[in-house]
Amino acid sequence: MADFFDNLTLTPIVPVLRGITPDDAEWVADILVGAGYTVMETTLNSVNAYKTIRIMADKYGHAQSIGAGTVTCPDQVKSVKAAGATFVISPNTNTDVIKATKDAGLVSIPGCFTPSECFHALDAGADVLKLFPGDVLGIAFAKAIKAVLPENTPLCVTGGVHMDNIKAFLTVVESVGIGSALYKAGKSPKQLQACAKGFIAALK
């Protein structure tokens, strides 16, 4: 099984696949992996999300890190693990979800908006803190919170990351999550490929 942190270091972008369906899972994953992405997140508010995760995990889970997003209750953690996910991302700081994730042996990435939520998440066992929404919090917040968090706390900014600001965010945080600017339901393979390559190029 691929190591999540190694993969995130290799390509510090988490594609947020909201609205993806099982029918599109394989070709979307093919394009992302072909472009150089090593981590992929399917949100649970997508249709048949567990099936999508399973399709991606079966094909790419040996090398890529496949995970679930928008996980908001502990019961979902068991289901995403059964589907083949190796990491859990939430939009909020729910310590029950964090603890269930760690008990399941998965990587925990809760969403945080305040310093208190960041520290509560770490106290509960979170592995990475997702600063969300990034376009509201901004780079200045990321710099400020990093100064007071325990040293080497990994941060991932999600929400509002695009090609013009990705490099600036990555001078402060370890990774970013990108949603509709990269993938959204209805994009053609050609459109997705162009966006996928564009973000990889923006890292350089």
Side-chain angles (χ1 to χ4, degrees):
M1 182 180 295
D3 182 82
F4 173 81
F5 293 98
D6 286 347
N7 278 339
L8 199 59
T9 299
L10 187 62
T11 304
I13 300 174
V14 181
V16 181
L17 306 177
R18 189 178 308 279
I20 192 170
T21 66
D23 289 342
D24 294 333
E26 190 166 349
W27 71 260
V28 169
D30 288 346
I31 287 174
L32 293 175
V33 171
Y37 293 81
T38 50
V39 178
M40 289 177 277
E41 168 198 349
T42 294
T43 64
L44 291 193
N45 56 356
S46 303
V47 175
N48 294 327
Y50 299 115
K51 185 175 180 181
T52 294
I53 293 169
R54 171 48 62 196
I55 291 169
M56 291 184 173
D58 283 348
K59 185 167 185 179
Y60 288 113
H62 64 288
Q64 273 68 33
S65 295
I66 309 300
T70 319
V71 179
T72 56
C73 67
D75 288 346
Q76 293 172 326
V77 174
K78 293 180 181 179
S79 298
V80 299
K81 182 177 182 178
T86 58
F87 65 89
V88 168
I89 300 182
S90 300
N92 60 335
T93 302
N94 183 324
T95 56
D96 290 336
V97 171
I98 296 169
K99 291 172 182 175
T101 300
K102 297 313 299 175
D103 287 345
L106 306 180
V107 175
S108 170
I109 310 172
C112 303
F113 187 76
T114 67
S116 293
E117 288 180 346
C118 289
F119 281 97
H120 285 321
L122 290 175
D123 288 343
D127 298 294
V128 179
L129 300 181
K130 167 185 160 181
L131 302 184
F132 174 77
D135 51 353
V136 175
L137 292 170
I139 295 173
F141 177 85
K143 287 181 179 178
I145 194 63
K146 200 167 186 68
V148 299
L149 290 172
E151 190 175 3
N152 299 321
T153 299
L155 301 180
C156 178
V157 170
T158 301
V161 179
H162 48 74
M163 290 187 195
D164 293 332
N165 64 14
I166 185 172
K167 284 193 76 171
F169 271 118
L170 287 174
T171 63
V172 179
V173 302
E174 287 67 30
S175 60
V176 295
I178 304 177
S180 59
L182 174 58
Y183 171 85
K184 60 182 176 181
K187 265 189 178 178
S188 68
K190 185 176 180 179
Q191 289 172 322
L192 177 60
Q193 188 169 57
C195 286
K197 289 182 177 179
F199 275 108
I200 293 295
L203 295 177
K204 301 175 182 178

